[in-house]
Amino acid sequence: MNIDEDTLQNLVNTWRVKNGTMSQEVQNIAENGKKAVGVVLENIPTGKVDNGMPELNLRIKVTTKEGKMYETQVTKCFMPGAVPFLQVGCTADVYYLPEDPHNIAIGTRIA
């Protein structure tokens, strides 16, 4: 059986919500938001760890498919395997709702 990347991500997101490692709000943004590209400009660990997941304060430059660019800052917990892909200069898929573009969900790879 072949599962496409979006379906797999949705399954992982649903599992994470059920296990308390992702909020319903972030899942909604990830599943219903517009896809854009984010570049990590700053990564500051807060020192907090929740369920084994480090909390990071990230400043991200977002470029929409229409070419609009803006910066946003988020503080969220990430699975440890995702942290290497969130270093300064790394790119990631981000998702946003047009009515609240600064509140983003970050699609992360896992090492």
Side-chain angles (χ1 to χ4, degrees):
M1 170 169 60
N2 288 333
I3 298 177
D4 65 69
E5 189 174 322
D6 289 336
T7 300
L8 181 59
Q9 186 63 59
N10 288 342
L11 289 170
V12 170
N13 290 350
T14 299
W15 178 85
R16 290 187 63 207
V17 169
K18 287 180 181 178
N19 286 287
T21 59
M22 175 186 273
S23 70
Q24 186 67 50
E25 177 187 29
V26 171
Q27 181 185 29
N28 178 53
I29 295 168
E31 292 182 3
N32 300 305
K34 295 180 94 175
K35 188 175 185 179
V37 175
V39 177
V40 179
L41 301 176
E42 187 173 59
N43 175 337
I44 301 173
T46 67
K48 179 181 174 188
V49 177
D50 187 11
N51 289 324
M53 300 188 323
E55 184 178 73
L56 305 176
N57 185 329
L58 302 174
R59 188 167 55 95
I60 297 177
K61 182 178 185 180
V62 176
T63 303
T64 68
K65 287 187 176 183
E66 298 78 27
K68 179 182 175 189
M69 291 189 280
Y70 62 93
E71 287 186 22
T72 190
Q73 190 161 334
V74 297
T75 302
K76 298 182 185 219
C77 291
F78 293 92
M79 292 192 291
V83 174
F85 300 105
L86 294 170
Q87 300 306 306
V88 173
C90 289
T91 61
D93 292 335
V94 298
Y95 301 86
Y96 67 94
L97 299 174
E99 61 271 16
D100 188 11
H102 290 278
N103 190 10
I104 62 172
I106 302 169
T108 54
R109 296 184 294 271
I110 305 294

